[in-house]
């Protein structure tokens, strides 16, 4: 069984369903509220565990009710080890505040304790990163920690997978530590600009990427339009 390490974010998603988005200064009544485990780190780890991989999630929550709830939910997921989730004393658990209207939404994220999943933390778990078959990261934690985690895993020939979301311009030197990168279409458009790819169709830009960076596999996700 493959060993997967996920170095990433944990949030409590607070989902408020409304009929329409409020205008600035407007107060409206909501239809419902729901609380769900979220953060791209949790989502990646749960997905890896669901397909049978022995998965460990490395991240940080606060010493608050949301943090306790997230850990309790993670403990119920088969194949998922949450023993390296740290409890921060001085930071709250990350929160994603979501206004939902049908299939559309507006999201505001408070990183909170996720900011402590940083370079120091990556150095502390070096042994776990180098023992894994696959390391998965995303961009919801500090970039210095992401780079350090990828660097250490790459030294051990661990396969590294990066979901560059939420997208931010990153140091091109990071590519030397990445085996596979998985932006969605919007993120890839931003990447294409940052990496000076030829303008044109999605297909042409993907082909250009593979010519320029043949060592970095590219998977562009397309949401409901994916195959």
């Amino acid at each position: 069984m493959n060993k997967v390490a996920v170095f990433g974010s944990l949030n409590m998603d607070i989902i408020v369903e409304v009929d329409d988005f409020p205008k600035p200064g407007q107060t409206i009544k909501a239809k419902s509220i729901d609380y769900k485990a979220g953060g791209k780190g949790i989502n990646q780890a749960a997905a890896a565990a669901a397909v049978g991989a022995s998965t460990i999630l490395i991240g940080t929550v606060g010493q608050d009710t949301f943090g306790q709830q997230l850990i309790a939910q993670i403990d119920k997921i088969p194949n998922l080890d949450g023993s390296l989730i740290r409890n921060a004393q001085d930071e709250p658990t990350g929160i994603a505040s979501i206004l939902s209207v049908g299939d559309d939404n507006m999201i505001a994220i408070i990183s909170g304790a996720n900011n402590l999943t940083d370079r120091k933390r990556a150095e502390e778990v070096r042994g776990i990163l180098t023992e894994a078959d696959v390391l998965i990261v995303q961009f919801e934690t500090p970039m210095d920690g992401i780079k350090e985690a990828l660097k250490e895993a790459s030294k051990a020939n661990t396969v590294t997978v990066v979901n560059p979301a939420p997208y931010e311009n990153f140091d091109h030197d990071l590519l030397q530590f990445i085996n596979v990168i998985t932006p969605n279409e919007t993120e890839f458009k931003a990447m294409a600009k940052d990496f000076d790819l030829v303008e044109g169709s999605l297909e042409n830009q993907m082909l250009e990427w593979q010519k320029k960076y043949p060592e970095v596999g590219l998977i562009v996700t397309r949401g409901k339009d994916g195959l």
Side-chain angles (χ1 to χ4, degrees):
M1 182 180 292
N2 287 335
K3 295 181 181 179
V4 174
V6 177
F7 187 86
S9 59
L10 299 91
N11 292 330
M12 178 61 75
D13 290 351
I14 304 175
I15 306 167
V16 177
E17 185 179 3
V18 293
D19 289 319
D20 201 359
F21 296 122
K23 298 178 177 62
Q26 181 184 19
T27 299
I28 62 174
K29 289 185 177 181
K31 296 165 64 176
S32 65
I33 187 169
D34 196 8
Y35 299 84
K36 292 184 177 181
K40 295 184 185 298
I42 286 183
N43 294 341
Q44 290 172 334
V51 297
S54 177
T55 306
I56 188 161
L57 175 57
I58 302 158
T60 316
V61 296
Q63 293 184 337
D64 49 30
T65 300
F66 286 158
Q68 294 172 14
Q69 291 173 344
L70 290 178
I71 290 174
Q73 291 186 53
I74 288 167
D75 287 343
K76 295 177 183 178
I77 300 176
N79 302 321
L80 181 53
D81 181 354
S83 62
L84 287 180
I85 299 171
R86 185 172 58 180
N87 288 282
Q89 293 184 353
D90 302 321
E91 293 286 347
T93 298
I95 293 173
S97 179
I98 304 170
L99 274 182
S100 175
V101 178
D103 293 331
D104 202 2
N105 57 54
M106 299 173 65
I107 305 174
I109 295 176
I110 300 173
S111 295
N114 289 311
N115 286 326
L116 297 178
T117 305
D118 54 11
R119 179 174 181 173
K120 181 180 178 182
R121 185 60 176 152
E123 292 171 344
E124 291 171 350
V125 298
R126 181 183 293 113
I128 299 297
L129 301 177
T130 57
E131 290 173 4
D133 297 304
V134 180
L135 169 66
I136 305 175
V137 303
Q138 67 317 127
F139 284 1
E140 288 190 335
T141 55
M143 189 60 71
D144 66 341
I146 293 167
K147 184 172 183 178
E148 185 67 19
L150 291 171
K151 181 178 178 180
E152 292 300 328
S154 182
K155 287 180 183 177
N157 294 319
T158 297
V159 175
T160 56
V161 181
V162 174
N163 177 18
Y167 186 77
E168 62 178 271
N169 190 356
F170 59 92
D171 188 342
H172 293 196
D173 288 345
L174 196 66
L175 291 181
Q176 65 185 301
F177 308 123
I178 300 174
N179 294 117
V180 181
I181 193 163
T182 64
N184 65 21
E185 287 187 83
T186 300
E187 291 151 1
F188 183 60
K189 287 180 182 178
M191 280 178 55
K193 182 177 180 181
D194 290 340
F195 284 82
D196 298 320
L197 299 185
V198 63
E199 293 186 10
S201 68
L202 173 64
E203 180 180 2
N204 286 339
Q205 289 186 319
M206 291 180 68
L207 290 171
E208 180 72 8
W209 173 275
Q210 292 294 205
K211 288 179 183 178
K212 293 184 71 172
Y213 308 105
E215 309 244 330
V216 183
L218 172 67
I219 299 173
V220 178
T221 60
R222 305 190 68 189
K224 63 181 181 180
D225 296 322
L227 301 176

